[in-house]
Amino acid sequence: MDDLDRRIINQLQGGFPVSARPYRDAARKLDTSESELITRIRCMLDDGLLTRFGPLFHAERMGGALSLCALKVPQARFDEVVGKVNSFPEVAHNYQREHEMNMWFVLATETPQQLDEAIQNIERCTGLEVYNFPKQTEYYVGLNLQV
Amino acid sequence: MTDSAAHSEIIETPDDLDRRLVLATQAGLPLHARPWHWLATELGVEPEQVMARVQAMLEDGRIRRIGVLPNHYRLGYVANGMSVWDIPDDIIDDVGRQVGQLHSVSHCYQRPRHLPDWPYNLFAMVHGHDRQEVMEEVDAIADLLGERARSHDILFSTRILKKTGLRIGG
């Protein structure tokens, strides 16, 4: 990663223009060219330095539903339960964490009703209680990573 | 009004063009010199219509932002701890806003308790280069909150079991 890559990461975490030639407009602020900016973004995506480039949608405001859920999975059943939980397409992220509640996943659905159904189906499929932690208030979202 | 109350007023079924725009861009914006024009051709509408719609979605918050999403792990932020706090309900909004402003915190939400198993109602994700750094950041939050936090914990992630990103169907 060179200086230009760093500046792209630091300065382009938001604010990409909605204009006819947005890469050209963004490139000017980064003191580079349109084609160079496009190439750099493509390379950093291919290389895995960037997870994504584009609009980040606010799921609930699009009418969808999200929730963070947790399970207490007995150690001996962990791998089996991972397979079952991950098989649900509504499970977007799933992390193992160090706690008695050792599996934490995010459910994302197009409607709030589908979210409730997914929770019931996961409980039925795993035989474990799903602890549901829907967002009540959002105070901050958006890591601005500086490199 | 809490933010979640504000959401419920805005929730609406996205119309067909909005939905098709999400489907066309949720994997990313085209890396073409005229990406909005390229999308317009794909969707069979005018470029001005796409740009106006995207601008409107930015303004009403359906699009949070447009830009790069760096891969934390590749940038060396390999430790992530979910810090969780038991905060009295009557002060949680003040505390949540204060914690959310800290540089080390990437997400900060009020979520429900599940008593008696789970007394925590404030969740703040803390990223760092290693566990020590995350623990120091969480200690700093504990100092900042003092007696306003009745108890807290950090749940470190030990393994990513699935990460597909958010997708709608279609």
Side-chain angles (χ1 to χ4, degrees), chain B residues 79-99:
Chain B
N80 94 70
M82 186 172 74
S83 73
V84 292
W85 307 80
D86 177 9
I87 307 292
D89 291 336
D90 57 339
I91 58 168
I92 191 162
D93 286 341
D94 284 342
V95 171
R97 279 191 289 268
Q98 200 179 351
V99 171

Short mmCIF file of all heavy atoms in Angstrom, two decimals, chain B residues 79-99:
data_model
loop_
_atom_site.label_atom_id
_atom_site.label_comp_id
_atom_site.label_asym_id
_atom_site.label_seq_id
_atom_site.Cartn_x
_atom_site.Cartn_y
_atom_site.Cartn_z
N ALA B 79 -7.97 -7.45 16.30
CA ALA B 79 -8.70 -7.78 17.52
C ALA B 79 -10.03 -7.01 17.52
O ALA B 79 -10.06 -5.82 17.23
CB ALA B 79 -7.89 -7.39 18.75
N ASN B 80 -11.12 -7.73 17.79
CA ASN B 80 -12.37 -7.00 17.97
C ASN B 80 -13.09 -7.53 19.20
O ASN B 80 -13.23 -8.73 19.40
CB ASN B 80 -13.20 -6.97 16.69
CG ASN B 80 -14.23 -8.06 16.59
OD1 ASN B 80 -15.23 -8.06 17.31
ND2 ASN B 80 -13.98 -9.00 15.71
N GLY B 81 -13.44 -6.58 20.04
CA GLY B 81 -14.09 -6.94 21.28
C GLY B 81 -15.46 -6.27 21.32
O GLY B 81 -15.57 -5.07 21.04
N MET B 82 -16.48 -7.06 21.66
CA MET B 82 -17.79 -6.46 21.86
C MET B 82 -17.86 -6.09 23.34
O MET B 82 -17.95 -6.98 24.19
CB MET B 82 -18.88 -7.47 21.46
CG MET B 82 -20.27 -6.89 21.50
SD MET B 82 -21.49 -8.04 20.81
CE MET B 82 -21.60 -9.24 22.14
N SER B 83 -17.77 -4.79 23.62
CA SER B 83 -17.87 -4.40 25.02
C SER B 83 -19.34 -4.17 25.33
O SER B 83 -20.08 -3.62 24.52
CB SER B 83 -17.04 -3.14 25.31
OG SER B 83 -17.62 -1.98 24.79
N VAL B 84 -19.76 -4.66 26.50
CA VAL B 84 -21.17 -4.58 26.88
C VAL B 84 -21.28 -4.02 28.29
O VAL B 84 -20.45 -4.32 29.15
CB VAL B 84 -21.86 -5.97 26.76
CG1 VAL B 84 -21.95 -6.37 25.30
CG2 VAL B 84 -21.13 -7.05 27.55
N TRP B 85 -22.28 -3.17 28.52
CA TRP B 85 -22.34 -2.34 29.71
C TRP B 85 -23.75 -2.34 30.29
O TRP B 85 -24.73 -2.30 29.53
CB TRP B 85 -21.95 -0.89 29.34
CG TRP B 85 -20.64 -0.82 28.62
CD1 TRP B 85 -20.44 -1.08 27.29
CD2 TRP B 85 -19.36 -0.52 29.16
NE1 TRP B 85 -19.09 -0.94 26.99
CE2 TRP B 85 -18.42 -0.60 28.12
CE3 TRP B 85 -18.93 -0.18 30.45
CZ2 TRP B 85 -17.05 -0.36 28.32
CZ3 TRP B 85 -17.57 0.07 30.65
CH2 TRP B 85 -16.65 -0.03 29.58
N ASP B 86 -23.83 -2.37 31.60
CA ASP B 86 -25.12 -2.25 32.28
C ASP B 86 -25.26 -0.80 32.74
O ASP B 86 -24.60 -0.37 33.69
CB ASP B 86 -25.16 -3.23 33.47
CG ASP B 86 -26.46 -3.10 34.28
OD1 ASP B 86 -27.38 -2.39 33.84
OD2 ASP B 86 -26.51 -3.72 35.36
N ILE B 87 -26.10 -0.05 32.03
CA ILE B 87 -26.26 1.38 32.27
C ILE B 87 -27.71 1.63 32.73
O ILE B 87 -28.65 1.12 32.11
CB ILE B 87 -26.03 2.18 30.96
CG1 ILE B 87 -24.69 1.80 30.31
CG2 ILE B 87 -26.12 3.69 31.21
CD1 ILE B 87 -23.46 2.22 31.06
N PRO B 88 -27.90 2.42 33.79
CA PRO B 88 -29.28 2.74 34.19
C PRO B 88 -30.05 3.33 33.00
O PRO B 88 -29.52 4.17 32.26
CB PRO B 88 -29.10 3.77 35.31
CG PRO B 88 -27.73 3.49 35.86
CD PRO B 88 -26.91 3.03 34.69
N ASP B 89 -31.31 2.87 32.82
CA ASP B 89 -32.08 3.28 31.64
C ASP B 89 -32.24 4.80 31.52
O ASP B 89 -32.31 5.33 30.41
CB ASP B 89 -33.48 2.63 31.67
CG ASP B 89 -33.40 1.12 31.44
OD1 ASP B 89 -32.42 0.66 30.82
OD2 ASP B 89 -34.32 0.41 31.89
N ASP B 90 -32.33 5.49 32.66
CA ASP B 90 -32.62 6.93 32.58
C ASP B 90 -31.44 7.75 32.08
O ASP B 90 -31.61 8.92 31.74
CB ASP B 90 -33.14 7.46 33.94
CG ASP B 90 -32.16 7.22 35.06
OD1 ASP B 90 -31.29 6.32 34.94
OD2 ASP B 90 -32.23 7.93 36.09
N ILE B 91 -30.24 7.16 32.03
CA ILE B 91 -29.10 7.94 31.53
C ILE B 91 -28.49 7.31 30.27
O ILE B 91 -27.47 7.78 29.77
CB ILE B 91 -28.01 8.13 32.60
CG1 ILE B 91 -27.50 6.78 33.11
CG2 ILE B 91 -28.51 9.02 33.75
CD1 ILE B 91 -26.22 6.89 33.95
N ILE B 92 -29.13 6.27 29.74
CA ILE B 92 -28.44 5.53 28.67
C ILE B 92 -28.23 6.36 27.41
O ILE B 92 -27.20 6.21 26.74
CB ILE B 92 -29.12 4.17 28.36
CG1 ILE B 92 -28.19 3.36 27.45
CG2 ILE B 92 -30.49 4.37 27.73
CD1 ILE B 92 -28.47 1.92 27.38
N ASP B 93 -29.16 7.25 27.08
CA ASP B 93 -28.97 8.03 25.85
C ASP B 93 -27.73 8.93 25.95
O ASP B 93 -26.95 9.01 25.00
CB ASP B 93 -30.21 8.86 25.52
CG ASP B 93 -31.35 7.99 24.98
OD1 ASP B 93 -31.07 6.85 24.52
OD2 ASP B 93 -32.50 8.44 25.00
N ASP B 94 -27.54 9.57 27.10
CA ASP B 94 -26.35 10.41 27.27
C ASP B 94 -25.09 9.58 27.20
O ASP B 94 -24.11 9.94 26.53
CB ASP B 94 -26.39 11.12 28.64
CG ASP B 94 -27.38 12.26 28.64
OD1 ASP B 94 -27.75 12.71 27.54
OD2 ASP B 94 -27.77 12.69 29.75
N VAL B 95 -25.10 8.45 27.92
CA VAL B 95 -23.92 7.59 27.97
C VAL B 95 -23.63 7.01 26.57
O VAL B 95 -22.50 7.01 26.10
CB VAL B 95 -24.11 6.46 29.00
CG1 VAL B 95 -22.99 5.42 28.90
CG2 VAL B 95 -24.17 7.04 30.41
N GLY B 96 -24.69 6.56 25.89
CA GLY B 96 -24.52 5.96 24.56
C GLY B 96 -23.92 6.94 23.57
O GLY B 96 -23.01 6.59 22.82
N ARG B 97 -24.41 8.17 23.59
CA ARG B 97 -23.85 9.17 22.66
C ARG B 97 -22.39 9.45 22.97
O ARG B 97 -21.57 9.59 22.07
CB ARG B 97 -24.67 10.46 22.73
CG ARG B 97 -25.95 10.39 21.89
CD ARG B 97 -26.59 11.76 21.74
NE ARG B 97 -27.17 12.21 23.00
CZ ARG B 97 -28.45 11.99 23.35
NH1 ARG B 97 -29.26 11.35 22.54
NH2 ARG B 97 -28.91 12.43 24.50
N GLN B 98 -22.07 9.51 24.27
CA GLN B 98 -20.69 9.80 24.66
C GLN B 98 -19.75 8.66 24.24
O GLN B 98 -18.70 8.89 23.68
CB GLN B 98 -20.65 9.99 26.19
CG GLN B 98 -19.43 10.74 26.66
CD GLN B 98 -19.43 10.93 28.18
OE1 GLN B 98 -20.42 10.64 28.87
NE2 GLN B 98 -18.33 11.42 28.69
N VAL B 99 -20.18 7.42 24.48
CA VAL B 99 -19.35 6.27 24.12
C VAL B 99 -19.23 6.18 22.59
O VAL B 99 -18.16 5.89 22.05
CB VAL B 99 -19.93 4.97 24.72
CG1 VAL B 99 -19.21 3.74 24.18
CG2 VAL B 99 -19.85 5.01 26.25
#
